[in-house]
Each structure stands twice: as structure tokens, then as C-alpha cells.
Amino acid sequence: VCVALVLTAHPPRQALGSLCSPWAAPRVGPLPPAPAMVRISKPKTFQAYLDDCHRRYSCAHCRAHLANHDDLISKSFQGSQGRAYLFNSVVNVGCGPAEERVLLTGLHAVADIHCENCKTTLGWKYEQAFESSQKYKEGKYIIELNHMIKDNGWD
């Protein structure tokens, strides 16, 4: 068994010699090509981190922070896949284009929202409500329960 000593990664790589039995001749010259480098992907980071002292909701798929419990307006909403919560503000989400949809409470202009970290569609943002009784929803966010988890301080 032989072990070659190699200089740093300045091409072309040269071997200095071998640590083998005293009968083996030292190896001089270029080494065979190095194996392909394994690229380690950059760790995922969030655009915003919510304060650790507050109860918060996070993405169920990647744990990105989404909203503080203090921004929760209502738990009595219905999403396309079940129960949903209405929030005053959220973080780490991107919005798609607005479109008009007829929801349970009438016609609204909404934009789907997705987690910026894992790209999962989470719910939608109310862009415009056409009925005066629904105007309070404008600029607010719906996140479906099956896409979020309670995180930090929910004893």
C-alpha cells in the first residue's frame, strides 16, 4: 500500500514522492485527474426571521417563518384544501398575479402566495374586495392550516 504526498491544488498537481516500502521507487510526475468535486448546495436561508420571544407559524414543508400569532385576525376561514387562518401580515412569501375569484363570501381579486423558501403554495392575498362588507380583507393573507405549523412558545 502506497500513500502519495501532494502539494496544494495549484495545477498541474505534482507528487513529491511516495511513502511505501523501501523497495518502491518514488513517483514523480502528474497525478491522474482528481475525482469530480461534489458541489454542496448553499444552506437555505429565509428572507426574514421572526422574533424568538413570540409564538409564530412556520411553513410545514421547510420551517420558514411565516407569521407571528399577534398578526392572526381570524381562524374561521375556509381554504381550497380545508381550514385556513387570516393574517394581517406575513413574511417569506411571494405573490403571484392577481385574479378575480368567486369565493364563499363573494367576488374578490386575490393573488396566490407561496413560500419563498420551498415554493409551496400556501394560500392567497386579498388584493380587492368588491362588496363593502368584505373590504376589511384587503391587503390581508390567508394561509391554509395544512401548510403551516405552530412554532416556538406554544406550551
Side-chain angles (χ1 to χ4, degrees):
V1 175
C2 295
V3 177
L5 296 175
V6 180
L7 290 173
T8 59
H10 295 288
R13 296 184 312 157
Q14 297 286 323
L16 292 178
S18 299
L19 296 177
C20 302
S21 68
W23 302 280
R27 180 186 167 140
V28 179
L31 290 175
M37 295 295 292
V38 175
R39 179 173 279 187
I40 298 174
S41 62
K42 188 173 141 184
K44 293 181 180 179
T45 56
F46 309 145
Q47 292 178 352
Y49 289 85
L50 298 174
D51 193 353
D52 280 342
C53 67
H54 290 97
R55 294 182 294 174
R56 65 179 170 246
Y57 297 93
S58 297
C59 176
H61 310 283
C62 70
R63 302 291 295 250
H65 298 174
L66 295 175
N68 276 326
H69 184 66
D70 297 340
D71 287 316
L72 177 64
I73 297 171
S74 174
K75 294 181 178 182
S76 55
F77 276 75
Q78 185 69 29
S80 60
Q81 299 177 5
R83 291 185 48 213
Y85 289 0
L86 180 68
F87 290 95
N88 193 43
S89 65
V90 295
V91 297
N92 298 317
V93 298
C95 280
E99 61 184 35
E100 291 183 1
R101 292 186 196 156
V102 178
L103 303 175
L104 293 174
T105 55
L107 181 64
H108 295 79
V110 298
D112 285 339
I113 61 172
H114 62 271
C115 175
E116 279 291 332
N117 195 44
C118 67
K119 307 302 182 202
T120 301
T121 300
L122 303 170
W124 62 85
K125 177 183 180 184
Y126 286 102
E127 297 289 349
Q128 184 179 4
F130 296 104
E131 295 179 26
S132 57
S133 65
Q134 302 299 309
K135 291 285 187 186
Y136 75 96
K137 296 178 185 175
E138 291 182 348
K140 308 297 190 282
Y141 300 85
I142 288 288
I143 300 179
E144 296 179 344
L145 260 62
N146 61 339
H147 295 300
M148 67 179 170
I149 57 173
K150 292 178 177 179
D151 197 11
N152 193 49
W154 292 90
D155 297 333

